[in-house]
Amino acid sequence: METRVGDITSPHLQWWLDAKFGMFIHWGAYSELARGEWVMNRERWPIEEYEQVARAWDPERFEPREWVRMAQDAGMRYLVCTSKHHDGFCLFDSEHNDYNTVATIGRDLMAELAEACHEAGLKLGFYYSLKDWHHPDYEAGGRGDETAHARFIEYTQGLVRELCTNYGDLAILWYDGGGLHDGEGWHADEMNAMVRELQPGIVINNRSRAPEDHDTPEQHISASPPDRAWETCMTMNGSWGWHAGDSQWKSTGELIATLARINSLGGNLLLNVGPKGDGSFPPESVIRLQEIGEWMDLHGEAIYGTRRGPFEWGCFGYTTVRHSFAYLHITKWVGEELCVGMMKSPVRSASLLATGEALDFEQREDRLFIRGLPPRAYADPLATVVKLELDGEPEAYPRWL
Ligand code: GLC
C-alpha cells in the first residue's frame, strides 16, 4: 500500500478517513486504583510502592472478545488501546522492560487483545507513551543527562519495535506523552521510518512531535486545514483511566451530536472507555455504546465514508457529505420546517434516513426548506437525519461574513 506521509489523499489513509469512529481504551494497573491514569504522578507514589500495585494487578474479568464486540456493535471501526501509559508498566511482553504483565501474571494482555481484533476484523492500534515515570533514564534525560537520554531512546525504539513486530497487523500507532522533547530529541523520523518499514500502511499520529499522518485535538473539536487529517479524542465522562468518583457522564445524544459535528468538519472521533481494574467496562459506558450502536445501525450511511463538506453548521445541527449526498443531522429540533442556508447544489430528493419516508422540500435560491417534520422531536429520538440527494457534488453558496 502506497504511503505518502502528510498527504490526505494517500492510499494508506483512506480506510481511516472512511472509518470516522474508533474506540480509545485507557487501561492499566492504575485502573485498579480507580482515580485515573495520572494517579502515580499526582499523588507522588514512590516507584517501589506503585510497583506493588502493578505487580499485584490481575484483571480477572478481561475478555477482549467482549471489548471488540462492544466496539463493533457501537459502530466503531478501529480500536486504540494503551499498551504502556506514563506509569511505564507494559501490558505486553518485552525484552527491554521486565516491568510487564507477562513477568507478573504470565499474560500478554495486548496479544490477547490483538488476537480478538484480528479474529473479528477490527483494526487495531496501540497507544504508546513516550513519557515513563518508571524508567530512571526518562527523568535523567529530561533533566539534561544526554547519556541517559541516549539510552532511553534505545529503550523506546526497542519497545516500539516489539509492538510493531509481535502482534500481527497493526493499523495505528498512537504516541502520547512526548512533551519533554521535540521531534529531533525523540529521533522521531528515524523511529517512524522503522515503524513504517515493519508495518507498511500503518497510520501514525502526531504525538512523537513529528506531524506524520494526523493531528489529535484532545477533549475538544478543532478542525485542521482541509489538507490535513485529524481526530478528536474524547472521554465519555471527564476521565481517561477508570475513575470511580467521576460521575459527569455525557448523554448519548451529546456523544452522537459530537460525532456528527466532527465528521461534518472532516475529522474522526476516538471515543474513550476506561475499563475497571478487573477488565470490565463500566456500565455507564456499556449503555452509551449500546445506544450509539442503535443509532449507527440506522444512520451509519450518514457517517462512514463521509468527507469534509462545504456546508457550515445550521440552526438544526451539522451536515455531513458523501459523494452526491448530504445528510442533515438534526441535533437540535427546529420544528415542522427546517431551513438550510448556502445549499447551492440542486436537491433531487429529501427523505428521513431512518425510515426512507420522503419529505417535501423547496429550494429558493440560497435557502432550502424541508417541510413536514413533526412539530416536536420525533417520538423516536433515533430518527434524526434527513438525507438529501443532490444533483452533482455538494456545493455551497459563499458564506455570509
Ligand atoms: C491527556 C492525559 C493522558 C491521556 C491523553 C489522551 O494527555 O494526560 O493521560 O492518555 O490525554 O489523549
Side-chain angles (χ1 to χ4, degrees):
M1 169 96 45
E2 199 198 341
T3 297
R4 299 190 301 267
V5 181
D7 177 352
I8 199 164
T9 67
S10 175
H12 83 289
L13 249 189
Q14 300 313 304
W15 76 265
W16 186 90
L17 292 169
D18 285 345
K20 287 285 161 294
F21 189 31
M23 179 181 279
F24 210 1
I25 296 183
H26 275 72
W27 191 51
Y30 45 81
S31 311
E32 193 66 35
L33 296 171
R35 295 196 292 283
E37 77 287 358
W38 270 77
V39 59
M40 176 180 178
N41 180 289
R42 295 294 98 183
E43 296 182 5
R44 292 214 177 213
W45 283 61
I47 289 179
E48 311 73 51
E49 236 173 84
Y50 189 87
E51 265 183 8
Q52 287 174 28
V53 175
R55 293 192 193 284
W57 182 47
D58 189 2
E60 281 165 1
R61 293 178 61 197
F62 173 46
E63 290 175 44
R65 285 192 182 87
E66 270 299 288
W67 287 15
V68 168
R69 185 191 60 74
M70 286 190 275
Q72 288 183 318
D73 285 355
M76 291 153 157
R77 295 266 164 105
Y78 58 99
L79 180 154
V80 177
C81 184
T82 48
S83 64
K84 170 177 92 92
H85 204 269
H86 307 341
D87 64 0
F89 188 54
C90 290
L91 278 61
F92 59 99
D93 198 10
S94 175
E95 280 177 18
H96 305 276
N97 182 9
D98 63 7
Y99 187 46
N100 71 60
T101 55
V102 176
T104 58
I105 51 169
R107 285 176 76 178
D108 186 325
L109 301 173
M110 291 303 95
E112 294 178 30
L113 180 62
E115 197 186 325
C117 285
H118 296 327
E119 226 175 63
L122 182 65
K123 299 268 193 190
L124 169 68
F126 285 139
Y127 164 109
Y128 179 85
S129 171
L130 296 163
K131 186 193 281 299
D132 195 313
W133 298 320
H134 185 261
H135 200 299
D137 286 336
Y138 173 74
E139 173 88 19
R143 298 204 183 278
D145 178 338
E146 285 177 21
T147 319
H149 183 59
R151 274 197 308 263
F152 191 70
I153 292 297
E154 214 170 295
Y155 160 82
T156 299
Q157 291 189 1
L159 291 175
V160 168
R161 177 183 289 278
E162 288 174 327
L163 287 173
C164 293
T165 308
N166 299 339
Y167 302 91
D169 262 358
L170 195 59
I172 298 163
L173 182 59
W174 214 99
Y175 290 111
D176 191 28
L180 217 47
H181 306 281
D182 59 13
E184 213 173 301
W186 285 116
H187 298 244
D189 290 346
E190 178 188 318
M191 179 163 66
N192 293 327
M194 168 188 83
V195 169
R196 291 190 193 279
E197 173 122 16
L198 294 166
Q199 291 286 342
I202 195 168
V203 173
I204 303 179
N205 78 351
N206 65 341
R207 293 197 181 178
S208 62
R209 310 298 303 277
E212 295 298 335
D213 290 309
H214 67 93
D215 297 332
T216 53
E218 184 176 303
Q219 299 287 39
H220 70 279
I221 298 172
S222 63
S224 296
D227 62 353
R228 182 82 191 141
W230 64 281
E231 170 192 70
T232 281
C233 53
M234 199 175 269
T235 51
M236 289 192 197
N237 55 1
S239 308
W240 300 100
W242 168 239
H243 194 311
D246 184 346
S247 53
Q248 302 295 314
W249 295 89
K250 292 159 198 160
S251 70
T252 301
E254 192 180 343
L255 294 171
I256 291 171
T258 297
L259 176 64
R261 182 170 167 217
I262 290 170
N263 291 171
S264 77
L265 295 166
N268 284 15
L269 171 61
L270 187 61
L271 184 61
N272 185 71
V273 174
K276 297 184 179 182
D278 66 5
S280 63
F281 279 15
E284 292 88 346
S285 301
V286 173
I287 179 85
R288 282 162 182 74
L289 291 171
Q290 272 167 5
E291 289 172 352
I292 293 171
E294 284 166 31
W295 185 88
M296 288 294 258
D297 282 346
L298 295 171
H299 299 100
E301 183 188 326
I303 299 292
Y304 305 122
T306 59
R307 289 292 185 275
R308 185 174 185 148
F311 308 113
E312 297 181 349
W313 61 273
C315 300
F316 60 90
Y318 312 98
T319 305
T320 56
V321 304
R322 191 173 51 81
H323 308 305
S324 58
F325 296 97
Y327 301 90
L328 312 174
H329 294 251
I330 312 179
T331 60
K332 296 173 192 156
W333 204 257
V334 286
E336 285 163 272
E337 183 177 273
L338 183 165
C339 178
V340 184
M342 291 173 78
M343 180 62 70
K344 189 167 183 185
S345 332
V347 175
R348 283 196 188 146
S349 72
S351 60
L352 206 57
L353 180 57
T355 61
E357 181 194 331
L359 294 167
D360 275 348
F361 65 96
E362 182 195 348
Q363 217 166 355
R364 230 191 280 149
E365 296 181 1
D366 55 0
R367 304 179 82 197
L368 165 70
F369 298 89
I370 315 272
R371 305 216 169 89
L373 296 165
R376 292 173 200 285
Y378 283 91
D380 178 359
L382 290 176
T384 52
V385 175
V386 172
K387 174 180 180 179
L388 303 177
E389 191 190 350
L390 310 176
D391 197 3
E393 293 288 301
E395 236 191 299
Y397 287 104
R399 63 189 299 230
W400 276 10
L401 301 181

